[in-house]
Amino acid sequence: MDLKMETVIVLLLSCGIALSIAAHLFAVFPFDLSVTHELQEVNNPAFSAVMRGVTFLGDPWSEVALILAVTLFLLYRHMRIEAIFVMATISSVVLTAVLKVLVGRPRPPLYLSNLADLFLAIDRYSFPSGHVLFFVVFFGFVGYLGGVHLSGWLRILLVSLCGALIVLIAPSRIFLGAHWASDVIGSYVIGTLLLIILILLYQHRVRESCLPD
């Protein structure tokens, strides 16, 4: 790992810790209220449908289905190392659960718990956003694999789709009243840190597999 990457990791870790502490100390920030008001003022059926559709992909059973589908596809293509690391993106769900309990920030007041949530006991906590963290790690890693292993229009399509989903998940969670803006900002920071660690571990494992026995 070079010095630049070490610096990026330290910065992301420091920001993630700082945002987690701030979320623990303050239930909401003034800019959270402003962003929520602006987004929820949008009265457009198409926008609402997109926001709900994107959020659906981050629901617990959807996450499980996505991970299993991509893992099985990679195994079918004899990409065992890649399949293992796609399975490892489930670590984003575990990290979310741990941080939610540690930070203990309450949800926005109008949020209604999803009774189908696999982690209903911690669903009342707001920071970080599990949807955003999962999207950054899962779709970020899938997009990375697409950038490495695909070419031409397929690579452009997959990377663009993954990037679009990562961008759209944040406003969808705020629009639907599930999170504050500071929740999703923290989730982007923490998710990016976890994604970088997974990519570095994957690159190390690939290099090891290329060494002669």
Side-chain angles (χ1 to χ4, degrees), residues 6 15 21 29 32 60 62-63 69 77 97-98 107-108 111-112 115 121 126 129 131 148 152 156 158 163 166 184 195:
E6 289 179 353
C15 290
I21 293 173
F29 300 106
D32 286 327
S62 298
E63 294 177 357
R77 296 297 300 269
V98 171
R107 293 273 193 174
Y111 174 75
L112 296 176
L115 297 180
S126 186
S129 165
H131 282 65
V148 171
I156 295 172
L158 181 60
I166 291 171
V184 301
L195 174 61

Side-chain angles (χ1 to χ4, degrees), residues 27-109:
V28 63
F29 300 106
F31 80 91
D32 286 327
L33 300 174
S34 300
V35 173
T36 297
H37 176 75
E38 290 298 323
L39 274 174
Q40 293 182 348
E41 280 287 295
V42 178
N43 185 19
N44 184 300
F47 178 78
S48 178
V50 170
M51 295 294 97
R52 293 180 186 281
V54 172
T55 273
F56 173 76
L57 292 176
D59 288 345
W61 293 111
S62 298
E63 294 177 357
V64 172
L66 284 168
I67 291 174
L68 286 177
V70 175
T71 299
L72 291 174
F73 173 77
L74 291 171
L75 288 174
Y76 172 75
R77 296 297 300 269
H78 305 290
M79 301 173 69
R80 187 177 62 86
I81 296 175
E82 288 74 13
I84 291 171
F85 275 88
V86 166
M87 283 292 291
T89 62
I90 197 70
S91 59
S92 65
V93 178
V94 177
L95 180 59
T96 295
V98 171
L99 288 175
K100 279 182 181 290
V101 172
L102 290 176
V103 174
R105 186 187 220 185
R107 293 273 193 174

Side-chain angles (χ1 to χ4, degrees), residues 163-184:
L165 288 171
I166 291 171
V167 170
L168 288 172
I169 188 59
S172 81
R173 301 307 288 155
I174 301 170
F175 175 77
L176 295 173
H179 289 283
W180 302 113
S182 52
D183 294 330
V184 301

